Amino acid sequence: MNKLGVLKSSFAERRLLQQFCQLAAQRSARLVATALVATMEKMQLPLEEGLTVAVDGSVYAQYLNFKGMVQLGLEELLGKERCKKIHLEDQKDASGIGAAVIAAVAANNPT
């Protein structure tokens, strides 16, 4: 806390800050889950066969239990059974790979 310029704080204040950060992380994970479900529905992806989603980012990879929070968000939106068909995979540079795939598809399908 000293690095942030807070020289004194009570245990209650630190605990409140911790709870706030946990709530912000949970909300963030639910927003990720919502975006994933919205994308799947827009693309009309069948879950019966299973679906693997590459996820990239330091919050997803390093924040304690963020993946579990995203999984819980998916379960809330889709139900446990449907959610079992979705596999989230932590991938390094997934956004760069995705951009390369999109560029290749666009090059092969000029409009």
Side-chain angles (χ1 to χ4, degrees):
M1 297 279 288
N2 290 342
K3 290 180 182 179
L4 298 174
V6 179
L7 302 178
K8 290 184 178 182
S9 64
S10 69
F11 176 78
E13 291 169 330
R14 292 189 303 273
R15 181 70 180 130
L16 183 63
L17 179 60
Q18 181 185 38
Q19 290 172 339
F20 173 79
C21 291
Q22 287 172 343
L23 289 173
Q26 288 172 352
R27 172 123 172 99
S28 174
R30 285 186 171 131
L31 289 171
V32 169
T34 302
L36 288 173
V37 171
T39 301
M40 288 184 290
E41 288 182 0
K42 178 71 174 174
M43 296 177 68
Q44 299 177 345
L45 297 173
L47 289 181
E48 296 78 32
E49 302 169 13
L51 178 67
T52 300
V53 179
V55 183
D56 186 16
S58 58
V59 172
Y60 184 81
Q62 297 176 12
Y63 191 92
L64 183 63
N65 197 34
F66 194 80
K67 181 177 181 176
M69 290 187 283
V70 172
Q71 194 72 33
L72 183 61
L74 290 171
E75 288 177 10
E76 290 173 352
L77 293 167
L78 297 172
K80 281 192 175 191
E81 289 306 311
R82 290 184 71 203
C83 187
K84 288 179 183 178
K85 302 281 186 173
I86 301 171
H87 304 283
L88 303 175
E89 294 292 330
D90 187 16
Q91 297 292 314
K92 302 290 184 232
D93 197 30
S95 56
I97 294 167
V101 169
I102 290 171
V105 169
N108 290 329
N109 297 315
T111 55

